[in-house]
Amino acid sequence: MRRLVPALLLCLLVGCSASLSLDRPSPTLVADPSVEADGGPRGEFVEADVVDVIDGDTLKVRIDGQVESVRYIGIDAPERGDPGSKRATAENRELVAGGTVVLEVDRSNRDHFGRLLRYVWVREGGEWLFVNRALVRHGLVVAKSYPPDTARQSQLDRAESRARQEKLGIWAEIGRNGMPRE
């Protein structure tokens, strides 16, 4: 059995790397058969070291020695200078800065700015934290669908509904008419 597990992991790794379509050589993929059962990333994903946090929905990472910009799928953070921008950036930094993240692919590889489009995950102890959802759940960013990348949109939409109901973050500032309070 001990010999079978490494062989199975090697097969998974080789199979996954053949299907990943990046605009450069394929990075080293993470092959951990337990992650889907843990609620973590699934399908195609890669480990990356966080280099910098740009704002509430963008970061820079190092993958196989190359620095890439990553735009989180399914969320939209306040732009720099807008209310809530500093708080969203600070929370994103708290969750990922200086660590290793796992970047999960949906359908699209890059946006029109050349940034990688990914769901972002971190390991906290033995558990997975879905960073995109955590930012939405805390009311710091909004869930926003960007078809065709919608595999996890229902999770993000549910997180936003709960944040709205509990009036967290930006939702604490929204009046009954759905407009920000003055």
Side-chain angles (χ1 to χ4, degrees), residues 32 97 99 108-109 126 133 136 179:
D32 182 351
S108 304
N109 187 41
R133 183 177 58 209
V136 173
M179 300 300 289

Side-chain angles (χ1 to χ4, degrees), residues 21 31 44 46 50 61-62 80 94 112 119 130 133 166 169:
S21 59
E44 299 173 2
V46 64
V50 177
V61 299
R62 183 172 288 110
R80 285 185 186 183
E94 179 72 25
H112 60 282
Y119 299 112
F130 182 20
R133 183 177 58 209
E166 296 172 19

Side-chain angles (χ1 to χ4, degrees), residues 150-176:
T150 58
R152 294 192 177 271
Q153 198 61 45
S154 63
Q155 291 175 281
L156 298 171
D157 291 342
R158 283 192 306 271
E160 182 177 294
S161 291
R162 288 197 58 200
R164 281 176 180 250
Q165 288 170 351
E166 296 172 19
K167 297 190 179 343
L168 298 176
I170 59 176
W171 307 115
E173 303 301 319
I174 303 293
R176 288 186 180 187

Side-chain angles (χ1 to χ4, degrees), residues 3 5 7 9 14 45 47 50 54 63 67-68 76 79 86 89-91 107 122 125 132 148 151 161 169-171:
R3 291 183 184 171
V5 172
L9 288 175
V14 170
F45 51 93
E47 249 183 30
V50 177
I54 306 304
I63 304 172
V67 175
E68 295 273 6
D76 192 26
E79 297 299 322
K86 288 182 181 178
T89 302
E91 178 76 7
R107 298 195 60 156
V122 295
N132 308 48
S161 291
I170 59 176
W171 307 115

Side-chain angles (χ1 to χ4, degrees), residues 36-108:
E36 189 166 342
D38 291 342
R42 59 181 184 241
E44 299 173 2
F45 51 93
V46 64
E47 249 183 30
D49 295 319
V50 177
V51 174
D52 193 17
V53 174
I54 306 304
D55 57 27
D57 56 20
T58 311
L59 55 100
K60 286 194 182 279
V61 299
R62 183 172 288 110
I63 304 172
D64 288 343
Q66 184 170 343
V67 175
E68 295 273 6
S69 290
V70 176
R71 173 63 165 80
Y72 292 28
I73 298 172
I75 68 173
D76 192 26
E79 297 299 322
R80 285 185 186 183
D82 288 347
S85 172
K86 288 182 181 178
R87 190 165 170 214
T89 302
E91 178 76 7
N92 191 20
R93 186 171 286 117
E94 179 72 25
L95 293 171
V96 303
T100 299
V101 294
V102 173
L103 305 174
E104 178 185 348
V105 179
D106 195 330
R107 298 195 60 156
S108 304

Side-chain angles (χ1 to χ4, degrees), residues 6-20 26 29-31:
L8 179 60
L9 288 175
L10 180 61
C11 289
L12 286 171
L13 183 62
V14 170
C16 289
S17 65
S19 63
L20 187 63
S26 295
L29 291 175
V30 177

